[in-house]
Amino acid sequence: MRDELKQRVYEANMLLPKYGLITFTWGNVSEREGDIVAIKPSGVEYDMLRQEDIVLVDLEGKVLEGALHPSSDLDTHLELYRNFESISGITHTHSEWATAWAQAGLDIPACGTTHADYIYGDVPCTRGLTSDEIREDYELNTGRVIVETFRELDAAAIPCVLVKNHGPFTWGKSAAESVHNAVVLEQAAKMAFVARELQGSGPERISQSLLDKHYLRKHGKNAYYGQER
Amino acid sequence: MRDELKQRVYEANMLLPKYGLITFTWGNVSEREGDIVAIKPSGVEYDMLRQEDIVLVDLEGKVLEGALHPSSDLDTHLELYRNFESISGITHTHSEWATAWAQAGLDIPACGTTHADYIYGDVPCTRGLTSDEIREDYELNTGRVIVETFRELDAAAIPCVLVKNHGPFTWGKSAAESVHNAVVLEQAAKMAFVARELQGSGPERISQSLLDKHYLRKHGKNAYYGQER
Amino acid sequence: MRDELKQRVYEANMLLPKYGLITFTWGNVSEREGDIVAIKPSGVEYDMLRQEDIVLVDLEGKVLEGALHPSSDLDTHLELYRNFESISGITHTHSEWATAWAQAGLDIPACGTTHADYIYGDVPCTRGLTSDEIREDYELNTGRVIVETFRELDAAAIPCVLVKNHGPFTWGKSAAESVHNAVVLEQAAKMAFVARELQGSGPERISQSLLDKHYLRKHGKNAYYGQER
Amino acid sequence: MRDELKQRVYEANMLLPKYGLITFTWGNVSEREGDIVAIKPSGVEYDMLRQEDIVLVDLEGKVLEGALHPSSDLDTHLELYRNFESISGITHTHSEWATAWAQAGLDIPACGTTHADYIYGDVPCTRGLTSDEIREDYELNTGRVIVETFRELDAAAIPCVLVKNHGPFTWGKSAAESVHNAVVLEQAAKMAFVARELQGSGPERISQSLLDKHYLRKHGKNAYYGQER
């Protein structure tokens, strides 16, 4: 079982270069199974990464298996797993369009059905961390500020966030689904940028009925997209 | 004959990843022959798609052949086939530049000969669907609002439309031609965006004589582009 | 000799897809040797093109050799060869950034040394053609309006032009050099766009001394770039 | 030892096309070892370049080994090596986003952690060279104006500069590290552009504490990113 978990996390990490979401080692994917989290090791190049390099830790970050240091963003992942019960996979990248929105400190408005098919509302951008939050336990505090941002939001319905001046985190029911959502977010970020430039003051948001329709035709008990019904 | 139809639709669908018009399964191509429409199955990944997966339906959407559910956008395709007699192929994508214009809710102005070579006027953007139109028969109503948009326009001369907050549909005399027009539209959308940014208030439109010249040197009885005359 | 000419023109045409300057058949390259001009046939897909398809014509456009129709832009090429004595190769594309400037009807300002290394001043955009010029002898008149644009300019020092609402033509001492200049122009067009967006009212132009330095260190008798001195 | 130096410089130069930083021959990489500098020859196409073409010179530019002329930018490299003691590798490119900022004559603001991970502050843009500086010893004066720009800055902490109206130079402890920083700079330049467009008046800068955190978790004695601690 641990080997299968590592294999899934290895494969999900390798999707990042495939989808053009990654430069050098600027990203990492993890998956939780029960109380075990498998995550990419820190600073290892993607074309050097092997299944056996994936590090296993418990939910407090204690290394259970693996010779390498886990990703320096581990504490952010763990804070999300501890707080968002519905999620079992997390992806962090510096993908360029989503990161640019994070640098601008702006939410990405839901203005099209591509967005609505996967993300049930605007993509929130966190507040900036305070100097204190940055100085000590920075990665843990990054997780905390994400959790704070979702106080009134449903992490199962909005599977992504922008950390201000940093970049996106996305999640899902598996490592693979969290990468899928990272691809969706990057496309949504690019198209929202172009639409905003075209409209001057930013695009009108999609109507609530259209948002409902698209999100719900792909998710939930009345979904009718795809082959499973 | 049914196998040839499926093969053509299979090949036309596979052009979408070739031309970079597609992410995951966000698009579909169909072709009509007589009263039969062949269309991509819903939610099937492009690198898994096989000729035998293509679904055959009649013009009311009854499945004639195929084990899989047809594309969830089927009812939009059928409404267009029932109303636009000149067309026999339809492509739907979420290609990023065209979709961004759709999200902005703007027509793409005809401002260059690349556009004029294939599209005889601005690319219209539909009105938004009402909540009622979204709630019931959404895909059919998407087709209806396209037909409504073309009440004063000629679908044979303007082979594409933007559905507001959604994305483009393109068409032609075959599945392959509808994909060709999807490529044209995406390029026209990108170049119109850049020209508009350069000019501030949007580019001047192309003159009517230049629009006529370019469209008509490629189409109609006096065409003199290419090898057939 | 005719086979070598065709081979050079074939190879130069095949550089267009290599450098991403072409979609479908939207472009063509020619070369003149003495009174013979070799040019791509009209509407032939680049992945179907063969050396023997290249058409040979005289400077008045009479076909000397070749079974196919020459490019529909032939008369533009010929008008340039008849008027610009220093040039022996011409490339026409709809490359997206240069075409967007053409659609905006704007000259591309010389604002960097990348531009100055090859283009000794702004890239001029022609006036629009009149309705009369469009209706009759359109391609010839396109050539004439380019020649008119260069009345006070040196086609040897500024190897490119934007035809308003249409796209770029570039040239050089051979077919290959004209393609090289098409690549330069596309890059210069993109970077000038970004610089203009950054500066609001468009970038300051490069100083005359820097323009001189860069152009003249690559061209003319005191050039000291590369291996030949 | 000289062969290893040449090999490293050869390999670092070949990273430029791999990372999409180069068009034609518009770029060059060098490395210094003791008093010897190895650099790309001038004007040689990247797909023709061989290890044995790399030119060895001393710190005054005298050729020690190699049949070809060294890069025409050699004197800029040498001036940087003579003045920035901490650096042993230099890369010059015309990569498009960084070059566009140089053409606009603007510093690239530090507005995200991607930037802060490698560059400890804004990327400075030099003043323009005077006509006199351009006319004589242009490449040497380009080096001098970079050194002048860093009078109050630490070249070890800010491993890059934009030369106004020209393009970027980046550096590091080896040829390979200078190329790595060229990739970082290009990404930072693109994301800063998009963020600036989104915010109108340009993005807020990253806070000093976040800049410190990210730069220092990758650099210096308390770094905790990657596998070496």
Side-chain angles (χ1 to χ4, degrees), chain B residues 1 10 15 24 31 39 59 70 80 90 100 117 137-138 167 171 189 191 194 198 211 220 224 227:
Chain B
M1 163 282 218
Y10 167 74
L15 293 175
F24 300 128
E31 185 170 306
I39 193 166
L59 281 170
L80 299 185
I90 297 174
D117 279 336
D137 296 326
Y138 168 62
W171 47 78
M191 297 197 299
V194 176
L198 285 170
L211 181 62
Y224 61 95
Q227 298 301 326

Side-chain angles (χ1 to χ4, degrees), chain B residues 33-205:
Chain B
E33 187 166 352
D35 291 336
I36 302 181
V37 171
I39 193 166
K40 182 178 174 291
S42 182
V44 174
E45 297 284 342
Y46 276 90
D47 46 13
M48 296 296 184
L49 188 66
R50 299 163 310 165
Q51 194 246 52
E52 56 265 42
D53 296 331
I54 301 300
V55 186
L56 299 185
V57 300
D58 70 16
L59 281 170
E60 302 311 312
K62 206 187 117 200
V63 174
L64 303 176
E65 204 176 300
L68 300 172
H69 295 288
S71 165
S72 57
D73 296 310
L74 173 65
D75 286 341
T76 312
H77 290 240
L78 294 179
E79 182 68 6
L80 299 185
Y81 286 129
R82 287 187 300 250
N83 284 275
F84 297 161
E85 291 185 11
S86 62
I87 76 174
S88 297
I90 297 174
T91 294
H92 172 52
T93 76
H94 289 201
S95 68
E96 53 197 16
W97 294 94
T99 300
W101 281 89
Q103 291 187 174
L106 296 172
D107 297 352
I108 301 177
C111 51
T113 63
T114 316
H115 183 125
D117 279 336
Y118 298 92
I119 307 166
Y120 195 38
D122 293 357
V123 178
C125 184
T126 68
R127 64 169 173 81
L129 275 71
T130 65
S131 299
D132 282 352
E133 288 168 336
I134 290 166
R135 216 166 292 130
E136 288 289 319
D137 296 326
Y138 168 62
E139 291 80 9
L140 175 60
N141 287 326
T142 298
R144 284 179 179 148
V145 85
I146 294 172
V147 171
E148 178 191 317
T149 303
F150 274 75
R151 218 173 269 157
E152 318 274 311
L153 296 172
D154 176 3
I158 298 185
C160 46
V161 73
L162 304 176
V163 177
K164 192 175 173 195
N165 293 120
H166 188 159
F169 283 81
T170 60
W171 47 78
K173 291 193 181 109
S174 63
E177 191 180 299
S178 70
V179 175
H180 194 286
N181 287 332
V183 176
V184 170
L185 175 60
E186 182 66 1
Q187 287 259 315
K190 179 172 182 185
M191 297 197 299
F193 170 79
V194 176
R196 185 185 166 107
E197 293 282 293
L198 285 170
Q199 287 208 330
S201 56
E204 284 174 69
R205 276 187 179 60

Side-chain angles (χ1 to χ4, degrees), chain D residues 116-138:
Chain D
D117 280 335
Y118 298 92
I119 307 167
Y120 196 37
D122 293 357
V123 179
C125 184
T126 68
R127 66 168 172 81
L129 276 70
T130 65
S131 299
D132 282 351
E133 288 168 336
I134 289 166
R135 218 165 293 129
E136 287 289 319
D137 296 326
Y138 168 63

